[in-house]
Amino acid sequence: MRISPARAPADDAQRRAPVAGARAGARAEEGAGPGASEGAFPVERGRRWEEGAKGPGRVTLDTQTKPSTSTPPPADAGEEPAAPNGSSEKLSLGLIPISPSPAPPSDTASMAESRNRRRARPRSPWACSPATLLTTGMASLLMCLIVHSFATRQIDEKGCNMSYMRPSFAKLEDFDTEHTRFATKYSIYLYREGVIDEDTEVKGVPVLFIPGNAGSYKQVRPIAAEAAQHYHDIVQHDAAAIKAGTRSLDFFTVDFNEDITAFHGQTLLDQAEYLNEAVAYILSLYHDPHRASRNPDLPDPSSVILLGHSMGGIVARTMLTMANYQSNSINTIITMSAPHARPPVSVDADIVRAYKQINDYWRAAYAERWANNNPLWHVTLISIAGGGLDTVVPSDYASISSLVPDTNGFTVFTSSVPNVWTGMDHQSILWCDQFRKVIVRSLLDVVDVHRPGQTKPRADRMRAFKRWYLTGMESSEKALPQREPSTLLTLEDNANSIISQGRRFTLRSFGRSKRPQAHLLPVPPRGTPGGERFTLLSDQRLDLPGEGGKLEVLFCSVFPLQGGPQSAALFSLSMDLSGDGSGSTRLACKNAAVDVVQLPASTRLSKQPFEAHRPFSYLQYDLRDVAEHQFVAIVDKAVDPTPGWVLAEFSDNADAALESRAGLGRLLTTGLRLRLPASRPMVTEVRVPALHSSLLAYRLRLSSQACGDEDALFAPLLRQYLTDPHESKYFVNLRQANVNLHGLAPFMPPPLRERAAAEGVALQLWSDPTCDSSVELSLRVDLPGSLGKLVMRYRTVFAAFPLLVVALVLRKQFRVYDETGIFMSFAESMDLCLRQSVPLALLALSFFALSLARSSSDPSESSGGGLFGWRGNATESVVDYTKNDLLLGSQDAFFWFLVPLMGVISVAACVLVNYAALALTHVLCLLYALLSARPGWLRNDDRRRGLPPAFAASSPRRRVLTTGILLFLVSTFIPYQFAYLVACLVQMATSTRALRIARETRSSPHINFYNYAHSILILMLWVLPVNLPVLVVWVHNLAVHWLTPFSSHHNVLSIMPLILLVETLTGGKMIPRVTTRTRFITNTLLFLLATYAAVYGATYAYLLHHLVNAIAAWLVAVHLSATSSSKLSLANLNQILEGSGGADDDGASAADHARRGDGKKRP
């Protein structure tokens, strides 16, 4: 490595000539024209006049030092002193003008000299070129539009009702340090509802609630209270439920002292270890006759149901991967708003590593061919997401399609859950009254105390969960074909109507005949046109057998009359509608209420689907499900005229299902328009495969439906749905709607089984066909509304991507400095980078994003043979689960433009942070000047009197001792993130002192050093968000008096180079120029940082700190090389820490120039 050596200040002041300005070198590198913005500092070193072949007056640059060809005139008494490099130019920081140098002997040379000097004129660090100003303004406006869209557009309505409870908690004091090493930090409580259940004996089925990131154990109150109330009021009086094994639920909850789990992987593992020990202790309570009150004939519980919120759901899954997990102690997990697919933030290496290990374990377990080899074969996992209202965790991350097969779990959104039909934010999903009722009833439905696991078999649990959480239209599996006829329907021929085959049945009111009446709709034979599926819609509830409501729907077959009374005894219910006459027709019927689907009521007064109105009842069967029957009997059981309606029909799938091939380009320009004819079926489904991205939002409009003389039975009802994950949204009284979804999302791993290539979103429309009028459906992309969707999907990118710009700016500064000796300001380097480096980088990344999206969209090569069709064996992976981790994680080539968009926003962010840092350092500089009466630099007479300069180095022993103590604490007690924060504060102080000296001395070396210190500060500030979350976890541990040494982040090498660099800069030590090929190491390291920040920054953000740390190590090595070009030694390190040694523009410290005074008079 060739480092420009230090020279004695006395002789060198006469021999040193100014070097060419930074702007000239930068412009030559960028290829800018003569009108480009000029350099910051005037430098004349190596400038020589060449005549002859090159022409008179031609100015060239020579990096060798030449004696000055002219002697500057002596300064007058009132003039500024000469610059320290021997030139007569007046150097300044800011907007202070520069005095011209003496003219060369030739007029032509004089003009060239004057032109080059103007180009080399220093610029204020506040100066901003038109290109930078325009880019920053446009990006700032774009950011405002994005934030405004996120806050005001495409927002789902909130429909949760408040819940109430009378909570009490009993702490399990016996669960102490004999059971777990975390007993002094965590604790377990048993919930009891006041008045209803106040004793502390365990007597039901154990359920353990796990709070999330910074969550409280008291968050279990709404669900636990509803469970106690519902069992007390209803279940315990239901003899059939008690006989089936249903019992009360014992809710246990864990107090994590509001631990911050999302930021620290070791905390996640600690909680999982503690909970496995807690589960073992909870199960032991049921073996203790003094603590349990259970029927001794029942088996003791051997497993616990887990209920996890947010990161608590991840802790629940982690428990099954820990060494202290007791086999089969967990078989049912329900999570709410849990980020299963990927960590919400990637600033900690442990959390990224823990996620990978957990997800790999679950995938490998379900890849086993035989259940005996699968430790999770009996586990059911239900992931519930709140949707767009959750602004804490992206609901896309709640998907478990890449982890669990359909036989063991699914993902569902709360807007899909029957009788809930509303989205929820991150906290309301715990206390929403409608939703907590569903949670409790689903848990009680899967309980079976006759089994040691306390729950039903896995297949029965899955059926129960699907019944409670899914709409019922997701699967073609129906319960009716598996049922036996239970109702004997007796009819009188002349008293019952039979609808002609192919006609639609419409009933506009009940009880007109003032007695029960059955309407028969013939089931068409297979192959009959218009008879492929049956649909029925009513505003009345469908009765189960034996209930006394208004409406009952039966699928019937003719029952022979010769069977006699004995055959009638085969049915549990007999319905005789023959009146006084002798019935001539008997039908063996199955009740269809078991397959009813509830839909939100849609009338002309409806506004939201979650309103407290009686829901609609909907039935849908394929012909193959009902082909064994001859009739559909729609029984009007009302005996008095009452309002209500029923619509029923057979229709063809071809008439009811439409598919649009419109692409995103058409949706963006002209939109999609569909006209549904007047003769359409009651239910029409429109599938748009192009609607699959979660980054786009749409506006849907439906033309008003004109009805004839009679009023419409109901207003149009729309269901927007995806099948994976299960997300449905309902729009009642439809006129217009905001359509947004959680489909293909950035950074999401692919599912276990690849989706159909063109599935997309389906729009299911219920409209009144009796109006006999057509309707028009239009759909267009909502561009302003789509901007807000970038916030939740790319919020981590907004923190990592700007480091691409910072690294390129620093790279430019070092290149110009190594070539010219001028370290330009951050703002000036930004101007130069915007002309070539940044656009070229964004262009290259855009092409890279296109190639990644195309490779991601290619279907994975399947080797087949796996149990679920997604992996051949346990060691061969068919699906690459990391293929969407790079760059912006987009799976669609359409979104290539997001790369330059993020780049422009990052440029604006860097500019704004730079100005914020400038403002802060200037304010601190003013405060420093007010508090300090002495200047930051020294005159010779002051130095002789021993007055300390601003960069006077403290004792080397003291500085080495301070650094050693800090590193020792890092290795034992504090995380290195704390030391990084200290380093940032110290660097801020160094920049402030450098600014003061540069403003007072107005010398080139001091300005160089200030720009260098300021740029290092900007780099450290952008890495600070990566380190702060772990530091917050450490501070929280101290706040809860958990004084055990921090369990991670004690690697001294992760912070030592940065500490040494910051300590070096506190001595005012300017980095020396590197004039050999080793200067490319600096460029390469900064280029690698820029590339990594763009490609991997969002997924592995924690490595950004280590890359910056490596760059700091190289800069320290360059600093050390300044004192000895032959070797690095402890003596060099001592000199570095002391702040002595080095050359001025080639490495002299700002402190040295301050001590010498550089021949300047104190202003």
Side-chain angles (χ1 to χ4, degrees), residues 651-673:
S651 61
D652 279 339
N653 290 326
D655 298 331
L658 304 175
E659 184 170 327
S660 171
R661 292 297 180 182
L664 286 178
R666 177 180 170 186
L667 293 176
L668 282 168
T669 54
T670 62
L672 173 67
R673 290 181 178 273

Side-chain angles (χ1 to χ4, degrees), residues 767-789:
S767 58
D768 188 354
T770 62
C771 290
D772 198 25
S773 64
S774 62
V775 295
E776 187 175 274
L777 191 71
S778 64
L779 184 72
R780 297 195 66 173
V781 176
D782 181 9
L783 287 178
S786 300
L787 290 176
K789 304 306 174 185

Side-chain angles (χ1 to χ4, degrees), residues 547-613:
E547 293 184 341
K550 299 179 183 178
L551 178 64
E552 189 167 349
V553 178
L554 305 171
F555 283 83
C556 305
S557 301
V558 176
F559 189 73
L561 293 175
Q562 59 270 23
Q566 294 80 9
S567 60
L570 300 175
F571 302 94
S572 59
L573 183 66
S574 177
M575 184 181 298
D576 189 357
L577 303 181
S578 60
D580 297 333
S582 59
S584 60
T585 303
R586 292 196 302 176
L587 302 176
C589 302
K590 300 179 182 179
N591 190 288
V594 291
D595 290 322
V596 71
V597 174
Q598 292 186 331
L599 300 176
S602 180
T603 66
R604 293 300 178 189
L605 301 178
S606 299
K607 296 181 178 180
Q608 299 297 337
F610 48 78
E611 292 173 338
H613 299 304

Side-chain angles (χ1 to χ4, degrees), residues 475-494:
S475 175
S476 59
E477 180 182 354
K478 301 294 183 179
L480 183 71
Q482 281 74 40
R483 297 295 181 96
E484 295 294 331
S486 59
T487 302
L488 180 63
L489 180 61
T490 304
L491 304 176
E492 185 177 5
D493 291 338
N494 57 2

Side-chain angles (χ1 to χ4, degrees), residues 973-990:
F973 183 71
I974 66 175
Y976 67 76
Q977 286 82 358
F978 179 82
Y980 184 85
L981 178 61
V982 173
C984 289
L985 297 176
V986 173
Q987 185 63 21
M988 178 69 72
T990 301

Side-chain angles (χ1 to χ4, degrees), residues 92-95 122-128 825-828 914-915 918 922 995 1007 1010-1011 1014:
S92 63
L93 179 75
L95 299 174
R123 293 172 53 192
S124 167
W126 295 92
C128 187
S825 66
F826 189 90
E828 186 176 4
N914 176 49
Y915 284 138
L918 282 173
H922 277 70
L995 174 62
I1007 295 175
Y1010 168 67
N1011 289 336
H1014 178 77

Side-chain angles (χ1 to χ4, degrees), residues 905-923:
I905 293 176
S906 299
V907 168
C910 292
V911 171
L912 295 177
V913 169
N914 176 49
Y915 284 138
L918 282 173
L920 181 58
T921 52
H922 277 70
V923 171

